[in-house]
Amino acid sequence: MTDFARTRALFDIPEGMIYLDGNSLGPLPVAAKERVATMLADEWGKHLIKGWNAAGWMNQSRRIGDRVGKLIGAPEGTTIMGDTLSIKVYQALAAALDLNPGRQVVLSDSGNFPSDLYMAQGLIGSLGRGLELKVVEPEAVADAIDETVAVLMLTEVDYRTGRLHDMKALTAKAHAAGALTVWDLAHSAGALPVDLIGAGADFAVGCTYKYLNGGPGAPAFIYVAPKHLETARPALSGWLGHEAPFAFDLDYRAGAGIDRMRVGTPPVIALTVLDAALDAWEGVSMADVRATSIALCDLFIAEVEKRCPDLVLATTRDGERRGSQVSFRHPQGYAIMQALIARNVIGDFRAPDAIRFGFTPLYIGEKDVLGAAAILETIMKDRLWDRPEYHRKAAVT
Amino acid sequence: MTDFARTRALFDIPEGMIYLDGNSLGPLPVAAKERVATMLADEWGKHLIKGWNAAGWMNQSRRIGDRVGKLIGAPEGTTIMGDTLSIKVYQALAAALDLNPGRQVVLSDSGNFPSDLYMAQGLIGSLGRGLELKVVEPEAVADAIDETVAVLMLTEVDYRTGRLHDMKALTAKAHAAGALTVWDLAHSAGALPVDLIGAGADFAVGCTYKYLNGGPGAPAFIYVAPKHLETARPALSGWLGHEAPFAFDLDYRAGAGIDRMRVGTPPVIALTVLDAALDAWEGVSMADVRATSIALCDLFIAEVEKRCPDLVLATTRDGERRGSQVSFRHPQGYAIMQALIARNVIGDFRAPDAIRFGFTPLYIGEKDVLGAAAILETIMKDRLWDRPEYHRKAAVT
């Protein structure tokens, strides 16, 4: 395993906490505190409206999009920040459907994050041209790709189990059948090497508050393949995606390239935090991150299986076929996770019965893995999950 | 005029700057700096993922929505924060169109902010059921309301001239013709008293970076009238608008009431800034704000007309019929504004020829008005706008 002591020092993690939930929300980058303070006092406070030019706010979405692009195999000018992942899913799917008229099926799987499916349902309901969202089991996706499919819309890493789709093979199969692809990289960007150009992906979207540590509700990104950049119709045609936003014309004309995927005024403060967070990736090899992540996950699986025979592994043992997380199933999963959290081992629970642990080499190492497994062992052996306080449901799980 | 010295002290405005652009971007609330620092260090830094429950992040959009609601005559549970104004326009228009099927016209005017028109064009293009966006002159709106109109979509205050539509009368006329209304309050919320319930508005949307001082790219709001809360279809059906987001069902079911207008994960850091900014409104009477704003605008008009005969007033003299801004036209408007900015009088330019000044009583008073008019007089008398450096176009005007 590569030693990530240097990057670990870049994050604020409370003393004694074993944080295995960076796949939900990354920790605070130390640098973000000063960066935001400076942005508030010296940019907003001193420049006020002039900050759009003087502090480079207007260019932030594009510049940071290129920084994210470097982590996902996207060339400059193909990735842009803004909005939320759900909104970016809508944009990507709407554009993909427009580029492939005459077909009626959006194909997805039950391992896709529900919000992606919901946004597709809303879009299909709006379009009202007889489109159908077809949701199959993850294992059945490849066989379900046929010439009825307009768009294949998948999340690369299953948020529940960590199962990793073969983006390149599925994209090739989709293309062979005449379908376009929309890939959600929520659990991929910053978790493993992604090669959008190599895979031939048409559209990709993702969030930045997980492995990219951008903070709660950090802006999302959208990628459009070079071949679609000038033809993709922006369904969410906001003024900052206009060819000339400050001409204030009454008619929309899509801007050049990826800029057309901008919608409204960009979230400058949130982008400033994200920009600081992305500094942690400078000089980091994604291959090293991946190798370490696989080793940490392997170690966790081995330790938990040895110590906790009642937990059923929900994630593949094949490191190459999973993302950077491990899940176990147990009927008392919710209470087990509450007992872990009470002991400062932070993972999360995904209904109906999965406890989920994310492994994020930038700031998590072997010692954390062994510590978490030992505490989990105590909880299982002593049935500590059987206390009433661990069965109270929180608003957010 | 009411003395707003108390609220003026709540904002960071650089020494010597006369800031007449709070209608574009409000100044930094002093309290925001510490509030964000605390949120980063003590909420994100200490709670990490647990912040969603422990720090109340999940409830923020709703709680702050109610705070904004108080300023626009919206009862609790009818206003929620999120996304950008462009996205909220899309949501509101899509929902309004769904509630009024069988009609083909979206009626708007040429004084609407272009992004609203663009979003309508994008939505209509997606819906593909023969809808038409009809854009008339602001003065022709009332007469254009007829039984072909599905939705009347207007911005209450014209961003160029400050002309104020009569929301109550136009809404009544729309309802009498069987149309629904979408009101954009971008230049109304925090600028003048708004009574959404009294006006019978069906939907309203707005941004919070202007008169509400939420910072660059601050989150938007959407209001849904009580009678539509349980029937409005969320076209942007994201997981946080779902009845049970953490059940992770595969099918979307709209949440109760205004919560269905949530889409993706809320922008916690930006909402924290906005929350601090809204504190400035505690104990402030909107009637006092309005009376002072009218007096400041009247004074500015009188002073500029006296001193600068070449500038043509583009705003009505009737204080009751305008928002909280004044515009003048001049063929050299762009260069004149650059000359003003170079002398630390900050307004903005709106193509083709308007120089625009916002009056925001929370932190702007008579002295600022007189100072700005005097500097403008010098620029006009000495033709200072005729220098080449004032003719260079910036990215953002």
Side-chain angles (χ1 to χ4, degrees):
Chain A
M1 290 187 212
T2 309
D3 177 25
F4 283 93
R6 184 189 68 81
T7 54
R8 180 163 184 140
L10 300 176
F11 295 93
D12 262 350
I13 299 176
E15 189 65 36
M17 181 184 281
I18 299 178
Y19 193 63
L20 305 181
D21 210 5
N23 52 321
S24 257
L25 176 68
L28 172 67
V30 176
K33 292 185 280 193
E34 195 181 322
R35 201 76 65 86
V36 170
T38 301
M39 181 268 150
L40 294 178
D42 294 349
E43 297 183 12
W44 184 11
K46 293 200 177 123
H47 294 306
L48 293 97
I49 189 69
K50 296 185 289 179
W52 289 108
N53 291 312
W57 297 343
M58 197 47 84
N59 190 43
Q60 226 181 6
S61 306
R62 180 77 180 256
R63 181 176 58 75
I64 298 175
D66 283 337
R67 295 193 77 182
V68 171
K70 278 189 195 160
L71 302 175
I72 54 174
E76 279 196 12
T78 59
T79 306
I80 200 158
M81 311 307 301
D83 307 298
T84 63
L85 177 49
S86 296
I87 295 292
K88 286 334 204 187
V89 165
Y90 191 89
Q91 280 189 303
L93 182 58
L97 284 169
D98 270 4
L99 287 170
N100 207 4
R103 292 189 175 204
Q104 297 302 85
V105 174
V106 175
L107 178 63
S108 190
D109 73 14
S110 57
N112 205 342
F113 190 67
S115 199
D116 296 33
L117 302 177
Y118 302 161
M119 293 306 288
Q121 289 163 12
L123 176 61
I124 286 173
S126 288
L127 295 176
R129 57 175 176 89
L131 288 163
E132 176 202 348
L133 175 64
K134 187 171 171 183
V135 179
V136 301
E137 291 301 299
E139 300 70 26
V141 167
D143 287 343
I145 298 171
D146 61 27
E147 298 193 352
T148 66
V149 176
V151 180
L152 174 65
M153 179 185 87
L154 294 172
T155 296
E156 190 186 21
V157 177
D158 189 315
Y159 75 104
R160 305 160 307 173
T161 64
R163 176 203 35 72
L164 179 65
H165 270 312
D166 186 334
M167 190 192 297
K168 188 168 182 176
L170 288 172
T171 299
K173 186 149 195 204
H175 287 172
L180 295 181
T181 56
V182 174
W183 285 99
D184 180 340
L185 304 178
H187 293 268
S188 307
L192 45 90
V194 176
D195 181 7
L196 287 174
I197 289 288
D202 298 286
F203 296 88
V205 294
C207 64
T208 61
Y209 44 76
K210 298 178 184 290
Y211 295 89
L212 300 181
N213 313 303
F221 64 84
I222 186 168
Y223 160 87
V224 179
K227 66 179 167 185
H228 301 308
L229 276 174
E230 304 301 335
T231 48
R233 184 184 77 92
L236 301 173
S237 41
W239 73 307
L240 288 183
H242 192 279
E243 189 181 89
F246 292 91
F248 300 107
D249 294 334
L250 296 185
D251 290 311
Y252 184 76
R253 295 188 308 277
I258 195 67
D259 282 328
R260 66 181 57 187
M261 291 297 161
R262 301 181 78 154
V263 186
T265 304
V268 175
I269 302 172
L271 285 167
T272 301
V273 173
L274 175 60
D275 204 23
L278 290 173
D279 288 352
W281 293 95
E282 295 295 331
V284 169
S285 147
M286 195 62 85
D288 286 349
V289 168
R290 179 61 168 158
T292 305
S293 145
I294 290 176
L296 293 173
C297 290
D298 283 346
L299 178 63
F300 188 68
I301 292 171
E303 289 293 318
V304 173
E305 292 200 316
K306 189 170 69 186
R307 297 162 187 254
C308 312
D310 291 348
L311 295 176
V312 179
L313 184 64
T315 304
T316 174
R317 285 170 213 285
D318 179 356
E320 300 296 330
R321 304 303 316 136
R322 71 176 177 238
S324 198
Q325 65 181 70
V326 172
S327 298
F328 287 92
R329 294 195 199 284
H330 189 282
Q332 293 298 335
Y334 180 83
I336 292 166
M337 184 49 70
Q338 300 314 304
L340 278 166
I341 292 170
R343 284 157 188 79
N344 232 353
V345 176
I346 316 297
D348 59 21
F349 170 75
R350 283 295 172 261
D353 61 358
I355 54 177
R356 189 175 74 154
F357 305 88
F359 296 89
T360 45
L362 289 194
Y363 52 86
I364 288 297
E366 199 174 325
K367 195 178 142 208
D368 302 296
V369 169
L370 296 174
I375 291 169
L376 184 54
E377 180 181 16
T378 307
I379 290 167
M380 297 309 295
K381 278 206 173 132
D382 300 345
R383 293 175 62 95
L384 295 176
W385 49 264
D386 206 14
R387 295 183 185 166
E389 66 263 35
Y390 301 142
H391 294 260
R392 276 196 295 271
K393 292 279 175 186
V396 179
T397 58
Chain B
M1 289 187 213
T2 308
D3 177 25
F4 284 94
R6 183 190 68 81
T7 54
R8 182 163 181 139
L10 301 177
F11 295 94
D12 262 351
I13 299 176
E15 190 66 34
M17 180 184 283
I18 300 179
Y19 193 64
L20 304 181
D21 211 5
N23 53 322
S24 257
L25 177 68
L28 173 67
V30 177
K33 292 185 279 193
E34 195 182 322
R35 201 77 64 86
V36 171
T38 301
M39 182 269 151
L40 293 178
D42 293 350
E43 297 183 9
W44 183 12
K46 293 202 177 121
H47 294 307
L48 292 97
I49 189 70
K50 295 184 289 177
W52 289 108
N53 291 312
W57 296 342
M58 196 47 82
N59 190 44
Q60 225 182 4
S61 307
R62 180 77 180 257
R63 180 176 60 72
I64 298 175
D66 283 337
R67 297 193 76 183
V68 172
K70 279 189 193 161
L71 303 174
I72 54 174
E76 280 197 9
T78 59
T79 307
I80 200 158
M81 311 307 300
D83 308 296
T84 64
L85 176 50
S86 297
I87 295 292
K88 283 341 203 185
V89 166
Y90 192 89
Q91 280 190 303
L93 181 58
L97 284 169
D98 270 3
L99 288 169
N100 207 4
R103 292 186 174 207
Q104 298 301 88
V105 175
V106 175
L107 178 63
S108 191
D109 72 16
S110 58
N112 205 343
F113 190 67
S115 198
D116 295 34
L117 301 177
Y118 302 161
M119 293 305 289
Q121 289 163 13
L123 175 62
I124 286 172
S126 287
L127 295 176
R129 56 176 178 88
L131 289 162
E132 177 202 348
L133 175 64
K134 188 171 170 182
V135 179
V136 301
E137 291 301 298
E139 300 70 27
V141 167
D143 287 343
I145 297 171
D146 62 25
E147 297 193 352
T148 66
V149 177
V151 180
L152 174 65
M153 179 185 87
L154 294 171
T155 296
E156 190 187 20
V157 176
D158 190 314
Y159 76 103
R160 305 161 307 174
T161 64
R163 175 204 37 73
L164 180 65
H165 271 311
D166 186 335
M167 189 192 298
K168 189 169 182 174
L170 288 172
T171 299
K173 185 149 194 205
H175 287 173
L180 295 181
T181 56
V182 173
W183 286 98
D184 180 339
L185 305 178
H187 293 270
S188 307
L192 45 89
V194 176
D195 181 8
L196 288 174
I197 289 288
D202 297 287
F203 296 87
V205 294
C207 65
T208 62
Y209 44 77
K210 298 178 185 290
Y211 295 89
L212 299 182
N213 312 302
F221 63 85
I222 186 168
Y223 159 87
V224 179
K227 67 179 167 185
H228 301 310
L229 275 174
E230 304 301 336
T231 48
R233 183 184 78 91
L236 300 173
S237 41
W239 71 308
L240 287 183
H242 192 278
E243 188 180 270
F246 292 91
F248 299 107
D249 293 333
L250 296 185
D251 290 310
Y252 183 75
R253 294 187 309 277
I258 195 67
D259 282 328
R260 66 180 60 187
M261 291 297 161
R262 301 181 77 156
V263 185
T265 304
V268 174
I269 301 171
L271 285 167
T272 300
V273 173
L274 175 60
D275 204 24
L278 291 172
D279 288 352
W281 293 95
E282 294 297 330
V284 169
S285 146
M286 195 62 84
D288 286 349
V289 169
R290 178 62 168 156
T292 305
S293 144
I294 290 176
L296 293 173
C297 290
D298 283 346
L299 178 63
F300 188 68
I301 291 172
E303 289 292 320
V304 173
E305 292 199 318
K306 190 170 67 186
R307 299 162 185 255
C308 312
D310 291 348
L311 295 176
V312 179
L313 183 64
T315 304
T316 175
R317 284 171 214 285
D318 178 357
E320 300 296 330
R321 304 302 316 136
R322 69 174 180 243
S324 199
Q325 66 183 70
V326 172
S327 297
F328 287 92
R329 293 194 200 283
H330 189 282
Q332 293 297 335
Y334 180 82
I336 294 167
M337 183 49 68
Q338 300 314 304
L340 278 166
I341 292 170
R343 284 154 187 81
N344 231 353
V345 176
I346 315 297
D348 59 22
F349 170 75
R350 284 295 172 262
D353 61 358
I355 53 176
R356 188 176 73 154
F357 305 88
F359 295 89
T360 44
L362 288 194
Y363 52 86
I364 287 296
E366 200 173 323
K367 194 176 142 208
D368 302 296
V369 170
L370 296 174
I375 293 170
L376 185 53
E377 180 180 15
T378 308
I379 290 168
M380 297 309 296
K381 281 206 172 134
D382 300 343
R383 292 176 61 97
L384 295 177
W385 49 262
D386 207 14
R387 296 185 184 165
E389 67 261 36
Y390 301 143
H391 294 259
R392 276 196 294 273
K393 294 279 177 188
V396 179
T397 58

